[in-house]
Amino acid sequence: MDKPAGALDEVFQALADPTRRAILDRLAQGAASVGELAAPFDMALTSFMKHLKILERAGWIATRKSGRVRTCAIVTDRFADVGAWVYGHRALWENRQG
């Protein structure tokens, strides 16, 4: 919870898009190349790369390049950040419902 507000904003903003959530769902199964990740989506590769850049900037994924292949992997630290924020606000939300 001690992340700067801007960093947490990026983390949640990255999750706001269904394409980016689908990418994270796929990466939960293991690392994948950009081509593998892009295959199910009907969009230009340049548009798809923008989604990957948003996820990487927010800390959801890490990429590495080997030759001509760029591979992406999920970074699980972000889940802890989101969980901590939700848990920290849970009591407030539950008290308002009562």
Side-chain angles (χ1 to χ4, degrees), residues 14-15 19 23 29-30 36 41 46 53 66 70 73 76 79 84 86:
L15 291 178
T19 299
I23 293 167
Q29 300 169 20
E36 292 169 329
F41 300 98
T46 53
K53 286 180 184 180
S66 178
R70 181 166 298 281
T76 57
F79 293 99
V86 170

Side-chain angles (χ1 to χ4, degrees), residues 3-17 20-21 24 54-61 75-83 85:
K3 298 275 182 208
L8 196 55
D9 290 348
E10 278 188 343
V11 167
F12 280 108
Q13 184 175 7
L15 291 178
D17 185 272
R20 294 191 288 269
R21 290 192 307 271
L24 291 175
I54 290 168
L55 288 169
E56 190 170 25
R57 186 174 49 238
W60 282 109
I61 66 171
V75 176
T76 57
D77 295 354
R78 292 297 146 238
F79 293 99
D81 294 341
V82 170
W85 186 87

Side-chain angles (χ1 to χ4, degrees), residues 14-53:
L15 291 178
D17 185 272
T19 299
R20 294 191 288 269
R21 290 192 307 271
I23 293 167
L24 291 175
D25 286 343
R26 167 52 189 88
L27 289 175
Q29 300 169 20
S33 70
V34 169
E36 292 169 329
L37 291 171
F41 300 98
D42 186 25
M43 68 176 70
L45 187 57
T46 53
S47 297
F48 186 78
M49 290 300 293
K50 289 179 184 178
H51 287 290
L52 292 181
K53 286 180 184 180

